[in-house]
Amino acid sequence: DSGVTQTPKHLITATGQRVTLRCSPRSGDLSVYWYQQSLDQGLQFLIQYYNGEERAKGNILERFSAQQFPDLHSELNLSSLELGDSALYFCASSVGSQGPNQPQHFGDGTRLSIL
Amino acid sequence: AQKITQTQPGMFVQEKEAVTLDCTYDTSDQSYGLFWYKQPSSGEMIFLIYQGSYDEQNATEGRYSLNFQKARKSANLVISASQLGDSAMYFCAMREVLSGAGSYQLTFGKGTKLSVIP
């Protein structure tokens, strides 16, 4: 158990809809990262939050947004969903400011299926 | 831009044997970190081992060791005494330092699927 909690584990929805994925980081971790894993693109970094502030952006679509709340949990919002958004979405956390040697610990992922 | 290359899409190893999974990387940074993660068929990503670019000793964690050859820009994972439970996808990743303190994203390779044969 990594200590990172993601809900829901599975999500099935239709094109054009909007969903919210939730992540609770490990206790004490200030950084939250979101990644998307798809068959064609592999594992790709989407966005990072550190202590409530956006810190870095990767290959995140404009239809996607995220935020980190004062209790450090994070939500990833996906809107106007397309078939190509079907993927496994991971949240990871790390201590963040303690230096780059800290590994990122991943949650079990949310598997999103668009019908 | 940084890049991670894993040239072995799939590998087979006999139970109790050792296996090496290859990873090469490309970076112009002097300070970087290399990670290996395991992804079983159930889907979760499990952190295995870390190597820093300034570490002189190769990292080891139990049956996992990292063969770090900085001049060759390679960071191969060695699994000793393979077990059936080692069957999984293995990903090599590099920490990319982005602007600002505390900004560290991981860039992943495409992975190697390891199958352990009884």
Side-chain angles (χ1 to χ4, degrees):
Chain A
D1 183 8
S2 68
V4 180
T5 304
Q6 286 189 250
T7 56
K9 291 192 183 304
H10 302 277
L11 202 48
I12 302 174
T13 189
T15 55
Q17 295 298 305
R18 173 189 168 93
V19 296
T20 297
L21 313 183
R22 183 186 168 102
C23 169
S24 294
R26 292 191 323 160
S27 177
D29 284 359
L30 299 177
S31 271
V32 169
Y33 309 78
W34 286 97
Y35 291 86
Q36 179 194 58
Q37 185 179 32
S38 61
L39 284 175
D40 53 345
Q41 298 291 329
L43 264 160
Q44 289 205 311
F45 168 72
L46 295 179
I47 197 164
Q48 177 201 359
Y49 278 81
Y50 172 70
N51 203 20
E53 294 185 0
E54 181 184 305
R55 209 38 93 88
K57 261 186 174 179
N59 299 318
I60 188 166
L61 300 172
E62 286 191 10
R63 300 183 285 109
F64 296 0
S65 65
Q67 54 185 329
Q68 187 179 27
F69 296 87
D71 66 352
L72 300 178
H73 91 270
S74 177
E75 293 181 355
L76 179 67
N77 301 297
L78 315 177
S79 61
S80 302
L81 287 168
E82 302 175 359
L83 293 177
D85 297 329
S86 294
L88 186 56
Y89 291 84
F90 283 107
C91 169
S93 74
S94 71
V95 174
S97 66
Q98 298 301 311
N101 296 346
Q102 298 294 327
Q104 294 179 18
H105 294 274
F106 282 71
D108 289 347
T110 292
R111 188 168 296 278
L112 176 64
S113 300
I114 312 299
L115 302 179
Chain B
Q2 297 179 334
K3 185 180 174 182
I4 297 284
T5 303
Q6 294 181 254
T7 57
Q8 307 150 313
M11 290 275 289
F12 289 90
V13 64
Q14 204 76 34
E15 193 178 6
K16 299 181 185 177
E17 297 291 313
V19 63
T20 298
L21 306 184
D22 294 342
C23 172
T24 58
Y25 58 92
D26 182 26
T27 181
S28 55
D29 291 345
Q30 295 302 308
S31 176
Y32 52 89
L34 297 154
F35 301 81
W36 278 91
Y37 285 84
K38 172 184 177 181
Q39 186 176 36
S41 58
S42 49
E44 68 269 30
M45 292 287 286
I46 302 167
F47 165 71
L48 295 178
I49 197 167
Y50 164 81
Q51 179 83 42
S53 59
Y54 292 119
D55 295 339
E56 295 188 353
Q57 303 254 355
N58 286 340
T60 60
E61 288 287 345
R63 294 186 299 111
Y64 304 109
S65 61
L66 204 152
N67 184 359
F68 181 48
Q69 298 188 44
K70 194 170 181 177
R72 292 187 175 186
K73 293 188 175 178
S74 74
N76 299 337
L77 177 70
V78 181
I79 305 174
S80 62
S82 297
Q83 302 172 356
L84 295 178
D86 294 334
S87 294
M89 283 289 290
Y90 288 81
F91 291 94
C92 179
M94 180 158 57
R95 181 210 75 224
E96 177 175 9
V97 179
L98 302 172
S99 60
S103 302
Y104 307 112
Q105 75 173 65
L106 293 178
T107 301
F108 286 85
K110 293 193 180 299
T112 295
K113 184 173 182 178
L114 178 67
S115 299
V116 180
I117 305 167

